[in-house]
């Protein structure tokens, strides 16, 4: 499983609706007494949205290949040599193959849920991802041949009306496991430092913000002249994918830029701090506020909150207890995740305390670990609560039998509010006899 770091090891009043995993409750404002400092930047021209607002998908989840809606989670799973699309219905807490054909054996390409198999023409080395955006489900099948390619299908959420919209495209442009995914309700947007911003819908792939052969221009500021990316994607706000770029468009410090869904660019100002990479999770963007934890290792003591609309940065103390890692992630309900001594906590900015997440799975036989939040929608979370090892019979290419050792991950559902209160009232998912791929 490709985890985003940490959990597997995780603008004041806006001009328009802000980017969020769901239109969730806002983050509690910090009391003035808690603020250590407030700095004001010289604001650029006001950002004006030119399209429908974007919402981030699975904002706090560590498994970007999983999709989640209000009622269902979608995840690819290996059954022997075959990768199939499956779903978990929240009402029943049961995993099912995404197939409604009576009597289907689910063993080959004749199954509507089929994604790939070891002898697939794409490659014997494959991975997959499912992303739900609006009323559409996007199927990503990544092949490991050289050059690495990806195919994308789209269907209704129940898997019907599935058809291919992209075939043999560069994985660097369409790797859903390495991208941030947004939707405006009509289409899916993937944002990475490598490909900037692309749009997927029923008609195929559109490059919203092309790279122009890597030469920086006011319209294309993401790359330097030696073709090196100098920006990293942080999230979305209004109708913009928000990137942190060093140097800024003005040439000094770190700048934030917004790439609108129509391809235009807005300068969101320059700052004296380095917001880092989203794979480091030292910064996170939620509801128009950018949260950044300076420091290194377990020495973090403060968090800096940048309001994109007001162009101000406020420094707040982290909760009592100390030993905080310079890590933070924003969940769909506005809660901030922190880590201290390898233990995960839930924190509301401005509060003096953080809540420890109840321990579940074990890294080894002695050390418990907090639940891994694979996917969350701002209300419900799909979490890993335990691991167990199994041995399954397999055949070598020569037809010889052997036992394949696998780790089965036991998953459960729990309301985010309960999880972030330290509760353990999760509902175990009745999982199928397959394996989540590594």
């Amino acid at each position: 499983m490709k985890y985003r770091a940490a959990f597997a090891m995780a603008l004041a009043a806006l001009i328009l609706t802000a980017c969020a995993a769901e239109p969730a409750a806002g983050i509690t404002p910090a009391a003035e007494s808690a603020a250590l400092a407030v700095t004001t930047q010289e604001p650029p021209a006001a950002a004006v949205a030119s399209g429908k607002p974007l919402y981030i998908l699975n904002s706090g989840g560590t498994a970007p290949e999983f999709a989640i809606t209000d009622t269902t989670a979608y995840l690819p799973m290996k059954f022997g040599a075959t990768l199939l699309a499956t779903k978990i219905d929240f009402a029943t807490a049961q995993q099912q193959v995404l197939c409604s054909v009576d009597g289907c054996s689910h063993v080959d390409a004749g199954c509507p849920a089929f994604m790939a198999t070891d002898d697939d023409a794409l490659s014997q080395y494959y991975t997959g991802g499912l992303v739900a955006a609006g009323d559409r489900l996007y199927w990503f099948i990544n092949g490991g041949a050289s050059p690495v390619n990806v195919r994308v299908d789209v269907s209704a959420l129940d898997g019907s009306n599935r058809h291919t919209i992209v075939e043999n495209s560069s994985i660097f442009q369409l790797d859903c496991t390495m991208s941030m995914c947004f939707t405006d309700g009509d289409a899916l947007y993937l944002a990475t430092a490598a490909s900037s911003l692309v749009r997927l819908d029923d008609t195929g792939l559109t490059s919203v913000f092309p790279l122009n052969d890597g030469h920086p221009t006011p319209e294309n500021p993401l790359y330097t002249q030696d073709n090196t990316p100098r920006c990293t994607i942080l999230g979305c706000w209004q109708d913009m994918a928000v990137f942190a770029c060093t140097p800024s468009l003005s040439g000094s410090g770190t700048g934030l830029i917004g790439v609108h869904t129509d391809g235009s660019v807005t300068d969101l100002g320059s700052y004296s701090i380095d917001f880092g990479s989203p794979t480091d999770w030292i910064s996170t963007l939620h509801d128009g506020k950018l949260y950044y934890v300076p420091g290194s290792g377990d020495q973090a003591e403060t968090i800096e909150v940048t309001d994109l609309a007001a162009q101000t940065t406020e420094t707040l103390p982290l909760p009592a207890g100390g030993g905080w890692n310079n890590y933070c992630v924003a969940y769909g309900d506005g809660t901030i995740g922190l880590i201290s001594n390898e233990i995960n906590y839930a924190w509301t900015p401005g509060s003096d305390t953080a809540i420890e997440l109840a321990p579940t799975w074990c890294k080894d036989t002695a050390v418990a670990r907090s639940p891994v939040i694979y996917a969350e929608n701002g209300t419900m979370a799909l979490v890993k609560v335990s691991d167990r090892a199994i041995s399954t019979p397999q055949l070598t290419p020569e037809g010889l039998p052997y036992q394949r050792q696998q780790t089965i991950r036991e998953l459960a559902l729990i309301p985010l509010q309960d999880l972030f209160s330290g509760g353990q009232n999760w509902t175990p998912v009745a999982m199928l006899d397959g394996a989540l791929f590594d």
Side-chain angles (χ1 to χ4, degrees):
M1 185 73 61
K2 291 183 181 178
Y3 297 147
R4 297 187 186 182
F7 271 124
M9 341 162 273
L11 274 156
L14 302 180
I15 301 172
L16 293 177
T17 305
C19 163
E22 291 287 340
I27 298 174
T28 304
E32 290 185 9
S33 60
L36 301 182
V38 178
T39 59
T40 302
Q41 313 298 325
E42 185 65 30
V48 178
S50 57
K52 296 176 64 175
L54 292 175
Y55 298 97
I56 194 168
L57 300 171
N58 195 15
S59 60
T62 62
E65 61 268 42
F66 292 5
I68 189 166
T69 67
D70 291 339
T71 61
T72 310
Y74 300 88
L75 54 156
M77 176 171 272
K78 279 185 178 178
F79 298 87
T82 303
L83 185 69
L84 298 176
T86 72
K87 68 175 183 178
I88 296 172
D89 190 311
F90 296 168
T92 63
Q94 291 185 334
Q95 185 186 28
Q96 299 175 298
V97 176
L98 192 62
C99 170
S100 59
V101 177
D102 292 339
C104 183
S105 61
H106 313 311
V107 296
D108 54 32
C111 174
F114 177 85
M115 298 181 74
T117 189
D118 279 353
D119 60 359
D120 190 279
L122 183 68
S123 172
Q124 63 173 332
Y125 305 105
Y126 59 80
T127 58
L130 298 167
V131 179
D135 61 356
R136 313 305 291 164
L137 184 65
Y138 294 83
W139 308 53
F140 293 81
I141 300 104
N142 298 344
S146 182
V148 177
N149 291 322
V150 61
R151 187 183 86 238
V152 184
D153 296 347
V154 64
S155 72
L157 292 177
D158 63 2
S160 63
N161 192 30
R162 177 181 170 187
H163 56 282
T164 298
I165 58 173
V166 180
E167 197 161 17
N168 296 328
S169 180
S170 168
I171 194 172
F172 298 106
Q173 190 176 36
L174 285 174
D175 186 353
C176 71
T177 66
M178 300 300 290
S179 304
M180 281 194 176
C181 296
F182 315 123
T183 185
D184 58 4
D186 295 329
L188 172 66
Y189 294 84
L190 271 62
T192 66
S195 64
S196 186
L197 190 64
V198 298
R199 172 190 170 105
L200 288 162
D201 57 23
D202 275 340
T203 64
L205 171 69
T206 303
S207 181
V208 176
F209 192 66
L211 295 180
N212 276 344
D213 299 324
H215 297 297
T217 68
E219 293 76 30
N220 177 34
L222 299 190
Y223 270 54
T224 61
Q225 291 193 16
D226 63 357
N227 209 31
T228 302
R230 67 183 182 96
C231 298
T232 184
I233 180 66
L234 298 177
C236 60
W237 176 52
Q238 296 180 355
D239 70 333
M240 296 174 282
V242 177
F243 293 82
C245 300
T246 304
S248 68
L249 294 185
S250 64
S252 62
T254 297
L256 299 184
I257 68 167
V259 179
H260 297 262
T261 53
D262 65 0
S264 60
V265 175
T266 293
D267 185 353
L268 297 176
S270 298
Y271 299 84
S272 59
I273 56 179
D274 180 3
F275 294 111
S277 164
T279 57
D280 299 327
W281 287 116
I282 61 174
S283 62
T284 187
L285 178 61
H286 175 78
D287 199 25
K289 290 185 172 66
L290 185 61
Y291 299 85
Y292 167 77
V293 179
S296 61
D298 297 328
Q299 305 300 317
E301 297 179 350
T302 61
I303 187 169
E304 297 177 358
V305 185
T306 297
D307 187 312
L308 296 187
Q311 288 286 304
T312 60
T313 298
E314 183 179 28
T315 301
L316 303 175
L318 288 174
W324 299 108
N325 188 281
N326 65 326
Y327 158 93
C328 68
V329 60
Y331 294 98
D333 67 347
T335 300
I336 300 295
L338 301 173
I339 292 181
S340 177
N341 297 319
E342 298 188 10
I343 299 173
N344 297 323
Y345 291 81
W347 177 60
T348 300
S351 173
D352 293 332
T353 59
I355 304 298
E356 179 181 344
L357 301 193
T360 54
W361 68 289
C362 295
K363 185 176 182 180
D364 51 43
T365 58
V367 181
R369 291 290 185 268
S370 301
V372 177
I373 303 175
Y374 278 158
E376 59 92 8
N377 61 12
T379 302
M380 184 70 69
L382 177 68
V383 300
K384 181 181 79 167
V385 293
S386 66
D387 285 331
R388 62 183 175 90
I390 66 168
S391 180
T392 58
Q394 300 285 326
L395 293 176
T396 67
E398 294 76 26
L400 300 176
Y402 73 99
Q403 294 292 317
R404 180 183 179 186
Q405 305 302 313
Q406 292 179 302
T407 297
I408 299 298
R409 299 175 174 93
E410 300 291 355
L411 307 186
L413 296 164
I414 185 172
L416 273 185
Q417 187 176 36
D418 294 344
L419 180 65
F420 293 155
S421 298
Q424 294 178 302
N425 63 325
W426 41 71
T427 301
V429 174
M431 298 290 289
L432 297 171
D433 188 15
L436 300 177
F437 60 84
D438 292 320

